């Protein structure tokens, strides 16, 4: 089982046991070597040593040879994704190009950067997206709503608007981004694999049209910012498509799992803190414990001795940063809201920090806080299905959440 198939209580217990294990890595049947200790995870995510590469970050888990043997999948691959997408940020190994793209997205005046002077404006924009998403959906007493669907719709609006995707395309963003997440973290087969390749192709096709139109019309926004920095067209398309895919799942998955954790507490302590000045602190803790993206891939090119003393053999690695965020050697008591500790690794580390970090954090904070203000007495409804029925996904994690209006009985 993976994080995507566990309740938050099970994740807490499972990750806790992992840190009691004497070994520091484990070769998974997927071929990936799992790494979960904080210091090891941080060094791998930074990927600054010559023996550690980020080139495999966005490669399909099943590999391109498997796609090539699937007639439906290979047809859609050739139609939409050949030549293969350019490397933009997550998997870009050209240090100079990576820095130019990253600075355009998250530098001091980057497109996704939220400086203190603009935080109020950005909060108002995200709040408007929240209310547009949930209009008419606040459940009256005893009535259940699908909070998972709301979180996905909200994330698609937020990320779609942030990258300049036409509003008419926002409803499709979740399906397209789900295709990339499925290809990265799941062993897809048959029709499911073909459908995922086709949806990913649509994501890149629409991103390409958006970038082309924005550059032709000189529309202010993400694409124009990349153009002004001299970023090549194909790289800009990848930057947009990857931002959409990662952003939707990080935001929506974190909201889903966060709601489960916050509303499972009989005292509702963290939930009630959302109504005050500690909302950002609660959001940061939810992002550390229950992120929608729980792990990321790296490639060890030759046996590498890490600074901790761990030696990793050559091969692909899965860096389990959601587990690393619970390392007691780094955080003491990771479940304590006010405990001190090292920087959580949810958004990466060093030069490979996620460029959408500021936007994702604020978007999640706004959703949780605004929902708390709208429905302070809502409660968790019955699970629509067992968590075990969710896909076995090594990278992305979410939850099926229904919320019922009115106080706990």
């Amino acid at each position: 089982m993976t994080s995507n198939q566990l309740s938050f209580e099970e994740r807490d217990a499972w990750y806790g046991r992992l840190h009691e294990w004497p070994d520091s890595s484990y070769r998974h049947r997927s071929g990936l070597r799992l790494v979960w200790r904080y210091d090891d995870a941080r060094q791998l995510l930074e990927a600054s040593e010559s023996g550690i590469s980020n080139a495999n970050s966005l490669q399909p888990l099943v590999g391109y040879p498997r796609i090539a043997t699937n007639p439906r999948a290979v047809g859609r691959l050739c139609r939409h994704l050949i030549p293969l997408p350019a490397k933009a940020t997550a998997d870009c190994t050209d240090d100079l190009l990576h820095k130019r793209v990253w600075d355009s997205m998250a530098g001091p005046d980057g497109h996704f950067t939220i400086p203190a002077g603009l935080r109020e404006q950005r909060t108002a924009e995200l709040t408007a997206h929240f209310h547009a998403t949930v209009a008419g959906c606040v459940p009256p007493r005893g009535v259940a709503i699908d909070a998972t669907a709301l979180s996905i719709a909200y994330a698609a609006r937020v990320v779609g608007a942030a990258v300049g995707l036409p509003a008419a395309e926002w409803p499709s963003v979740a399906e397209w981004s789900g295709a990339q997440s499925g290809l990265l973290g799941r062993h897809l087969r048959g029709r499911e694999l073909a459908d995922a390749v086709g949806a990913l192709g649509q994501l890149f096709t629409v991103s390409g049209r958006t970038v082309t139109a924005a550059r032709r019309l000189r529309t202010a926004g993400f694409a124009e910012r990349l153009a002004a920095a001299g970023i090549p067209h194909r790289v800009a398309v990848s930057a947009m498509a990857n931002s959409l895919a990662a952003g939707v799942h990080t935001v929506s998955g974190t909201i889903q799992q966060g709601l489960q954790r916050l509303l499972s507490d009989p005292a509702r302590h963290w939930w009630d803190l959302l109504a005050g000045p500690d909302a950002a602190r609660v959001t940061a803790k939810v992002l550390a414990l229950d992120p929608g993206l729980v792990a990321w891939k790296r490639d060890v090119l030759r046996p590498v001795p890490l600074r901790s003393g761990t030696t990793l053999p050559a091969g692909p690695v899965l860096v389990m940063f959601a587990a690393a965020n619970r390392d007691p050697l780094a955080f003491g008591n990771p479940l304590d809201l006010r405990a001190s500790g090292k920087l959580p690794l949810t958004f990466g580390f060093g030069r490979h920090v996620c460029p959408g970090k500021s936007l994702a954090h604020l978007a999640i904070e706004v959703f949780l806080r605004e929902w708390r203000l709208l429905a302070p007495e809502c409660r968790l409804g019955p699970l629509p299905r067992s968590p075990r029925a969710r896909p076995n996904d090594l990278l992305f994690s979410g939850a099926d959440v229904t919320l019922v209006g009115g106080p706990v009985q």
Side-chain angles (χ1 to χ4, degrees), residues 262 269-280 282-283 365 368-369 372-373:
L262 299 178
H269 177 58
W270 290 7
W271 176 249
D272 289 336
L273 289 177
L274 290 170
D278 280 329
V282 171
T283 302
E365 179 184 338
L368 294 176
R369 185 189 66 233
R372 165 62 179 74
L373 294 173

Side-chain angles (χ1 to χ4, degrees), residues 33-395:
R33 180 165 291 276
L34 310 186
V35 176
W36 55 86
R37 291 184 178 174
Y38 180 90
D39 289 342
D40 296 343
R42 183 176 67 179
Q43 188 174 353
L44 288 164
L45 289 172
E46 187 172 18
S48 59
E49 286 86 353
S50 60
I52 302 171
S53 172
N54 63 307
N56 68 333
S57 296
L58 297 178
Q59 290 180 3
L61 187 62
V62 298
Y64 286 110
R66 168 75 66 174
I67 294 175
T69 62
N70 183 312
R72 285 195 181 94
V74 75
R76 294 169 186 179
L77 178 75
C78 294
R79 188 176 309 122
H80 295 289
L81 296 169
I82 296 296
L84 292 176
K87 297 179 183 293
T89 51
D91 58 347
C92 183
T93 56
D94 180 330
D95 290 345
L96 294 178
L97 177 60
H98 178 275
K99 179 169 173 50
R100 285 168 55 206
V101 177
W102 195 93
D103 285 349
S104 300
M105 298 171 73
D109 63 344
H111 183 73
F112 296 127
T113 302
I114 304 178
L118 289 179
R119 182 177 173 85
E120 184 175 349
Q121 176 185 334
R122 294 288 183 267
T123 300
E125 293 168 355
L126 293 169
T127 302
H129 281 306
F130 170 83
H131 287 286
T133 301
V134 306
C137 295
V138 180
R141 182 185 296 270
V143 176
I145 60 155
D146 185 346
T148 295
L150 286 179
S151 70
I152 294 171
Y154 168 76
R157 287 184 64 96
V158 166
V159 182
V163 302
L165 199 71
E169 306 286 4
W170 293 351
S172 300
V173 169
E175 176 189 353
W176 299 336
S177 62
Q180 188 184 59
S181 68
L183 287 167
L184 292 180
R186 297 170 54 196
H187 274 283
L188 301 179
R189 296 286 189 271
R191 181 179 294 275
E192 194 174 24
L193 175 60
D195 289 345
V197 172
L200 181 63
Q202 287 296 320
L203 174 66
F204 273 85
T205 297
V206 170
S207 296
R209 288 202 300 261
T210 303
V211 169
T212 298
R215 291 188 171 191
R216 184 181 68 250
L217 301 173
R218 296 189 178 277
T219 306
F222 184 43
E224 179 60 22
R225 179 71 63 89
L226 294 173
I231 305 303
H233 174 80
R234 291 185 62 245
V235 176
V237 171
S238 290
M240 177 172 289
N242 294 337
S243 296
L244 284 164
V248 169
H249 279 269
T250 297
V251 171
S252 62
T254 305
I255 289 171
Q256 295 156 22
Q257 296 173 132
L259 286 171
Q260 279 195 331
R261 182 179 294 274
L262 299 178
L263 293 173
S264 292
D265 174 17
R268 300 164 79 91
H269 177 58
W270 290 7
W271 176 249
D272 289 336
L273 289 177
L274 290 170
D278 280 329
R281 183 189 293 271
V282 171
T283 302
K285 180 59 73 171
V286 168
L287 271 163
L289 297 175
D290 306 303
L293 177 63
V294 298
W296 206 234
K297 289 183 283 189
R298 287 289 183 261
D299 198 14
V300 175
L301 305 178
R302 57 179 178 274
V304 171
L306 301 179
R307 290 187 287 269
S308 67
T310 297
T311 296
L312 294 177
V317 172
L318 186 70
V319 186
M320 302 171 63
F321 50 76
N325 288 345
R326 290 171 169 80
D327 189 337
L329 297 179
F331 297 98
N333 181 1
L335 301 181
D336 185 341
L337 181 64
R338 301 188 185 278
S340 60
K342 296 182 178 181
L343 179 71
L345 299 175
T346 302
F347 292 103
F349 189 82
R351 60 181 178 167
H352 292 296
V353 165
C354 172
K357 175 180 178 179
S358 297
L359 175 63
H361 191 292
L362 186 57
I364 295 163
E365 179 184 338
V366 165
F367 187 101
L368 294 176
R369 185 189 66 233
E370 291 298 314
W371 191 261
R372 165 62 179 74
L373 294 173
L374 271 181
E377 294 186 322
C378 74
R379 53 192 170 88
L380 293 173
L383 291 175
R385 59 175 172 170
S386 166
R388 304 293 190 271
R390 292 179 58 83
N392 186 307
D393 195 315
L394 291 171
L395 270 68

